[in-house]
Amino acid sequence: MGLTAEVANYITSAKFEDFTPNAVFAARHGIIDCVACALAGANEDLTKILVGFAQDTGSGNSGSTLIGQNMKASAPMAALVNGAMGHALDYDDIARPFKGHPSVVCLPPALAVGEQVEASGRDVMAAYMIGFEVGCAINTGMGVDYADDLGWHPTAPVGTLTAAAAAARLLGLNEQQTAMALSLAASNACGLRENFGTMTKPFHAGNSSRGGVTAAMLVKRGYQAATTGLEGRFGFMHAFSGGRGEDVNKPLEHLGKRLFLEQPGVTIKKYPCCGSTHNPLDAYFALRKDKKIDHRDVESVDVLVDFDPPRSLIHADPHNALEGKFSIQYTIAAALVDDKVGLGQFEGDQQVMRPEIRALMPKINMRRNPGYEGKPSWVEAYNEVRITLKDGTVLAQGQNRNFEGPVVGVTPQGMDMKFRDCASKALPAAKVNEALEILHNLETQPSIAPLMSAVSGR
Amino acid sequence: MGLTAEVANYITSAKFEDFTPNAVFAARHGIIDCVACALAGANEDLTKILVGFAQDTGSGNSGSTLIGQNMKASAPMAALVNGAMGHALDYDDIARPFKGHPSVVCLPPALAVGEQVEASGRDVMAAYMIGFEVGCAINTGMGVDYADDLGWHPTAPVGTLTAAAAAARLLGLNEQQTAMALSLAASNACGLRENFGTMTKPFHAGNSSRGGVTAAMLVKRGYQAATTGLEGRFGFMHAFSGGRGEDVNKPLEHLGKRLFLEQPGVTIKKYPCCGSTHNPLDAYFALRKDKKIDHRDVESVDVLVDFDPPRSLIHADPHNALEGKFSIQYTIAAALVDDKVGLGQFEGDQQVMRPEIRALMPKINMRRNPGYEGKPSWVEAYNEVRITLKDGTVLAQGQNRNFEGPVVGVTPQGMDMKFRDCASKALPAAKVNEALEILHNLETQPSIAPLMSAVSGR
């Protein structure tokens, strides 16, 4: 049996009980975080445009809820809008083996299809967890250039397969149909890093969710595709790896044998900006604990990172909030000036244009840890911030990436706080509480309809 | 100005008058052929599934006609369905510099958007021609592995940009918006050759048409993307070339300076199967002119082709009609047994399972012209068929690819015959005549509404 068929076998046969309490704990965090981020992104400009597009292209009044919009649409359209909304602020979770953002390509498809088929909370969670494991497993077999050199937004191409896995599971596709849905999704995947720092980065998450749902729905209706879309000579892994270093045997070394959700689990973001800024920001705030730093005293800042710049942080001179999210210069400058990096630092394009920010940005240099240039990303897991003050003082702080699972970056209390903070941007307080209560008990819900009603914005 | 901006400048500023009579002649053939193929594909299983999907995902009753379906839908959905329908039989036109099928990614987006904005026939033709030129020009800059090694279905990724170009033009996007639409479309492109011989190959054409229309519509509403999506370090040309040999300067050597529509123009297919089978089939039928060949006398057939097999012809042992379209073994066997390769040879999966066909297929070997192994495709333009009979006789016939433009493969009378043959599968005779009459005079039509009415199937 080939890889696509084996993956399809896993998707159709995995059970909720296969997931350990730690894995379910991680999944719950990923799901709560994803809904939180979607609600926080519900009023963003890009969301409004997509909602208008959904209305005008005739998808209104189907059965899948658009989060925070008082509106339903077809499942593919809901997956598109909710996925983009969940990624709008770049505040959503990360999984290291996924090399990107798992929940925005696992949950929106699971919710959109789950609502159509009247699934239980447990079934939706299972689809989410299965999508998560499939995405991580496939990623282990992708060549290094998939995430590094070629320019793919790693969340997106594999994310389309992830979304197809979740949707196929909930639609009850059999093994062969699931293999076809994966192959069809493989032909409907994309996302280029050149669009980072624009509305199109969040579009990638939504479009991957949409593409996976579309693939599964079409196959459910009898549409046919290859059953070798992943491993084939002209399939996904070869094409998206640029023909360099893909290993079609690797995914099955992991899938169903270890749980990525358990180790390394999910990382919940503390800062609403590109994940590649997080270690440097952690290093900065660790430094800051011991000593107040006045940004006017700063002569220069060196940021050592564990990838060859620019990779994701492609905006050294950002001119608007979205570009600022993909700028080590802006995020470190904001930390220096504002002493925090939260939603407020990205509200309005004028934030990145403040004179004190613009004075600092040219002083901030990003480079790779010496000796690692040209090597794959994610190998060092060590970042460092070195601040040289005008009086010659050097303040330096290293930061290792935290590999402990299953949930990194947030405490349970912190998760609830983040949810309330984000959700309050789109929901009244009573609905915030109702949604959070349901999310904490998702696996016991006979239907996800009450959850969708609570987050619908009605 | 970067490539994306330059291409956007061309899209917004090119005029109908920039196209020579020969180019318009080629465009007319491409357009007539595309409508013909869509009508011939209107009742295919894959079309029915997509129409049902369009109905169920709530896109009914918007303003763009689904060809032959008595139904309208949103512009992206109409582009999806019409594009897939036009490619369903793999009978639609080819353009060599496009390395694939131009019209199914130029015309469906132009018709879908054109109908929404109540465009004239002249405007729709201009959008089609501009999309054609943009697609061919970008293709000249793609590395060799884009079309050869990596497994992309060449029609599809560049086709998404082509569709965006046509849609952006008709929506009246300005230069910056058009650059953004191209960049957004670049993040929404795919199509893998692994799915050749399944319903998913035609899906690629429809999905590219849909993706381009979606990109242009979103930008029209204010959605933002990079303006460097083609040439950027992490953009389309690098990613889809696998980082191997892309040349971001090449497209502008051609765009607006020479007309691909004029030379080498469009190639109209004589056989409803993969373009890579056409030269061998031409060779066979040339051979057959001089001597009747009884398939029971055949010992072996060697087919020399100008690409490293299997590339597009990935089904040496096809088991259904769609796989048969991507099989040199089946198409040559059908030519030997039936003395023709027409729509009938692909009607029903049992055609490829006939005993006399299955007896022949293992005797048919495809290999590359000796000495060219490992070189880029499309360099030799020489194919050969060598038939060894059981009595030892060898019959051999070479075939050069015809590079003469602007229209190859059909006479004007032949074009009308193909149209009538194809269109009669979905339209009554009066509508066939009406549609053909309009198509022959498309540039003088004040509106495309009468054309869409004629081909709607009502």
Side-chain angles (χ1 to χ4, degrees):
Chain A
M1 203 157 50
L3 175 63
T4 315
E6 294 271 14
V7 172
N9 175 269
Y10 173 79
I11 293 168
T12 52
S13 65
K15 295 183 199 64
F16 188 94
E17 298 77 33
D18 297 338
F19 293 88
T20 60
N22 269 347
V24 174
F25 179 77
R28 194 190 326 288
H29 276 75
I31 290 170
I32 293 175
D33 190 68
C34 185
V35 175
C37 292
L39 288 164
N43 298 310
E44 291 294 300
D45 287 345
L46 72 92
T47 305
K48 289 177 193 159
I49 295 169
L50 290 171
V51 170
F53 175 72
Q55 285 166 330
D56 270 16
T57 53
S59 288
N61 299 320
S62 302
S64 298
T65 297
L66 304 195
I67 292 176
Q69 308 299 330
N70 292 316
M71 176 181 161
K72 292 191 175 196
S74 68
M77 190 60 84
L80 169 65
V81 180
N82 291 339
M85 201 188 304
H87 200 44
L89 300 168
D90 233 290
Y91 200 10
D92 52 305
D93 66 355
I94 295 177
R96 192 166 48 86
F98 200 80
K99 300 212 168 113
H101 300 265
S103 291
V104 282
V105 288
C106 288
L107 190 63
L111 292 179
V113 175
E115 209 172 352
Q116 300 275 6
V117 302
E118 300 179 0
S120 68
R122 192 178 172 87
D123 288 343
V124 166
M125 268 188 106
Y128 168 94
M129 295 190 292
I130 287 166
F132 190 105
E133 297 300 323
V134 165
C136 290
I138 293 169
N139 243 306
T140 64
M142 300 301 290
V144 162
D145 289 335
Y146 167 69
D148 276 4
D149 172 68
L150 288 172
W152 307 119
H153 171 189
T155 301
V158 171
T160 311
L161 305 174
T162 300
R169 167 80 179 200
L170 283 164
L171 285 172
L173 301 190
N174 68 26
E175 207 172 301
Q176 192 197 18
Q177 290 172 319
T178 301
M180 286 188 177
L182 290 168
S183 299
L184 178 47
S187 263
N188 193 2
C190 194
L192 292 166
R193 224 184 284 149
E194 192 67 18
N195 284 309
F196 274 24
T198 76
M199 294 176 175
T200 298
K201 191 197 181 215
F203 175 81
H204 297 163
N207 198 41
S208 300
S209 293
R210 179 202 63 76
V213 169
T214 299
M217 286 178 70
L218 285 175
V219 171
K220 177 85 176 176
R221 291 178 163 273
Y223 215 82
Q224 296 185 337
T227 52
T228 51
L230 302 182
E231 75 277 20
R233 167 69 182 89
F234 295 132
F236 180 92
M237 294 183 70
H238 184 70
F240 281 97
S241 294
R244 286 180 278 179
E246 71 274 16
D247 179 349
V248 302
N249 299 309
K250 201 89 182 164
L252 294 179
E253 289 177 17
H254 299 78
L255 191 66
K257 299 189 177 78
R258 50 173 278 198
L259 290 169
F260 294 100
L261 265 166
E262 189 165 73
Q263 185 58 257
V266 301
T267 300
I268 303 296
K269 278 191 171 185
K270 287 184 275 189
Y271 318 108
C273 45
C274 182
S276 298
T277 66
H278 281 224
N279 278 324
L281 287 172
D282 280 351
Y284 172 77
F285 286 113
L287 201 65
R288 162 74 191 77
K289 252 187 201 160
D290 299 327
K291 184 176 162 57
K292 170 91 183 97
I293 301 165
D294 188 319
H295 65 86
R296 287 161 299 194
D297 297 337
V298 171
E299 177 66 29
S300 66
V301 182
D302 287 297
V303 183
L304 300 183
V305 293
D306 53 356
F307 52 84
D308 285 332
R311 219 188 48 145
S312 306
L313 302 173
I314 62 174
H315 292 288
D317 179 25
H319 280 69
N320 61 51
L322 276 175
E323 289 179 357
K325 285 175 184 273
F326 297 89
S327 171
I328 200 70
Q329 286 76 17
Y330 174 64
T331 50
I332 293 287
L336 279 160
V337 171
D338 300 333
D339 209 27
K340 66 182 285 199
V341 176
L343 288 173
Q345 275 60 48
F346 302 96
E347 276 170 3
D349 294 339
Q350 72 285 359
Q351 294 287 352
V352 302
M353 300 306 284
R354 289 176 283 165
E356 61 273 33
I357 293 286
R358 299 213 73 78
L360 274 170
M361 290 203 302
K363 299 177 176 176
I364 300 168
N365 301 299
M366 173 173 61
R367 58 197 167 85
R368 185 151 196 177
N369 287 322
Y372 285 88
E373 296 85 355
K375 292 198 180 165
S377 297
W378 306 81
V379 292
E380 301 141 82
Y382 176 77
N383 283 219
E384 190 177 312
V385 169
R386 298 177 69 86
I387 301 179
T388 305
L389 301 180
K390 284 173 180 163
D391 68 5
T393 313
V394 176
L395 307 165
Q397 174 74 41
Q399 178 72 32
N400 286 299
R401 184 171 291 117
N402 188 343
F403 288 139
E404 295 306 308
V407 175
V408 169
V410 75
T411 61
Q413 295 76 12
M415 188 72 257
D416 283 4
M417 274 176 59
K418 182 176 174 182
F419 185 87
R420 290 179 193 285
D421 182 37
C422 288
S424 67
K425 304 218 167 256
L427 301 183
K431 292 288 182 189
V432 174
N433 290 330
E434 190 182 322
L436 192 53
E437 175 71 19
I438 298 174
L439 285 166
H440 273 294
N441 300 283
L442 189 55
E443 63 268 47
T444 63
Q445 302 289 315
S447 159
I448 60 162
L451 171 65
M452 301 319 292
S453 171
V455 300
S456 71
R458 266 185 288 259
Chain B
M1 203 157 50
L3 175 63
T4 315
E6 294 270 14
V7 172
N9 175 269
Y10 173 79
I11 294 168
T12 51
S13 65
K15 293 183 199 65
F16 188 95
E17 298 77 32
D18 297 339
F19 293 87
T20 60
N22 269 346
V24 174
F25 179 77
R28 192 188 329 286
H29 276 75
I31 291 169
I32 292 175
D33 190 66
C34 185
V35 175
C37 292
L39 287 164
N43 297 312
E44 290 294 301
D45 287 346
L46 72 92
T47 303
K48 288 178 194 159
I49 296 169
L50 290 171
V51 170
F53 175 73
Q55 283 165 331
D56 269 17
T57 53
S59 289
N61 300 320
S62 300
S64 298
T65 297
L66 304 194
I67 292 174
Q69 308 299 328
N70 291 318
M71 177 181 161
K72 292 191 176 196
S74 68
M77 190 61 84
L80 169 64
V81 181
N82 291 338
M85 200 187 306
H87 200 44
L89 299 168
D90 234 290
Y91 201 10
D92 52 305
D93 66 356
I94 295 176
R96 194 165 48 85
F98 199 79
K99 301 211 167 109
H101 300 266
S103 290
V104 281
V105 287
C106 289
L107 189 64
L111 292 178
V113 175
E115 207 171 353
Q116 300 276 6
V117 302
E118 301 180 0
S120 68
R122 191 179 172 90
D123 288 343
V124 166
M125 270 190 106
Y128 168 94
M129 294 191 291
I130 288 165
F132 190 105
E133 297 299 322
V134 165
C136 290
I138 293 169
N139 242 307
T140 63
M142 299 303 287
V144 162
D145 289 335
Y146 166 70
D148 277 3
D149 172 69
L150 288 172
W152 308 120
H153 171 188
T155 300
V158 170
T160 312
L161 305 175
T162 300
R169 167 79 179 204
L170 283 165
L171 285 171
L173 300 190
N174 67 28
E175 207 172 301
Q176 193 198 15
Q177 291 172 317
T178 301
M180 287 188 176
L182 290 167
S183 299
L184 178 47
S187 262
N188 193 2
C190 195
L192 292 166
R193 224 184 285 150
E194 193 68 18
N195 283 310
F196 274 25
T198 77
M199 293 177 176
T200 299
K201 192 200 180 210
F203 176 80
H204 297 164
N207 199 39
S208 300
S209 292
R210 180 203 61 77
V213 169
T214 299
M217 284 178 72
L218 285 175
V219 171
K220 177 84 177 179
R221 290 177 164 275
Y223 215 84
Q224 296 185 338
T227 51
T228 50
L230 302 182
E231 75 276 22
R233 168 69 182 89
F234 295 131
F236 179 92
M237 293 183 71
H238 183 70
F240 282 97
S241 295
R244 287 181 276 179
E246 71 273 17
D247 181 348
V248 302
N249 298 311
K250 201 89 181 164
L252 293 179
E253 288 177 16
H254 300 78
L255 190 65
K257 298 190 177 75
R258 49 172 280 196
L259 290 169
F260 293 99
L261 266 167
E262 189 166 74
Q263 183 59 257
V266 300
T267 300
I268 303 297
K269 276 190 170 186
K270 284 183 277 187
Y271 318 108
C273 45
C274 181
S276 297
T277 66
H278 282 225
N279 278 325
L281 287 173
D282 280 351
Y284 171 78
F285 286 113
L287 201 63
R288 161 74 190 77
K289 249 188 206 162
D290 299 329
K291 183 175 162 59
K292 170 92 184 94
I293 302 165
D294 189 317
H295 64 87
R296 289 161 297 196
D297 298 337
V298 171
E299 177 67 31
S300 67
V301 182
D302 287 296
V303 184
L304 300 184
V305 293
D306 53 355
F307 51 85
D308 284 333
R311 215 186 54 144
S312 306
L313 302 174
I314 63 175
H315 294 289
D317 179 25
H319 279 68
N320 60 51
L322 275 175
E323 289 178 358
K325 286 176 184 271
F326 297 89
S327 172
I328 200 71
Q329 286 76 16
Y330 175 63
T331 49
I332 293 288
L336 279 160
V337 171
D338 301 333
D339 210 26
K340 66 183 286 201
V341 177
L343 288 172
Q345 275 61 46
F346 303 96
E347 275 170 3
D349 293 340
Q350 73 284 1
Q351 295 287 350
V352 302
M353 301 305 286
R354 289 176 283 165
E356 61 273 34
I357 292 285
R358 300 213 74 77
L360 273 171
M361 290 203 301
K363 300 178 176 175
I364 300 168
N365 301 299
M366 172 173 62
R367 56 196 168 86
R368 185 151 196 177
N369 288 321
Y372 284 89
E373 295 85 357
K375 292 198 180 165
S377 297
W378 306 81
V379 291
E380 301 141 82
Y382 177 76
N383 283 219
E384 189 176 313
V385 169
R386 297 176 70 85
I387 302 178
T388 306
L389 300 181
K390 284 173 181 164
D391 67 4
T393 314
V394 175
L395 307 165
Q397 173 75 42
Q399 178 71 33
N400 286 299
R401 184 170 290 116
N402 187 343
F403 289 140
E404 295 307 309
V407 175
V408 170
V410 75
T411 60
Q413 295 76 12
M415 188 71 257
D416 282 4
M417 274 175 61
K418 182 176 174 183
F419 185 87
R420 291 179 192 283
D421 183 36
C422 288
S424 66
K425 305 217 168 258
L427 301 183
K431 292 290 180 187
V432 174
N433 289 331
E434 189 182 323
L436 193 53
E437 174 72 19
I438 296 174
L439 285 165
H440 273 294
N441 299 285
L442 189 55
E443 63 267 48
T444 63
Q445 302 289 316
S447 160
I448 61 163
L451 171 65
M452 301 319 291
S453 172
V455 299
S456 72
R458 264 183 289 261

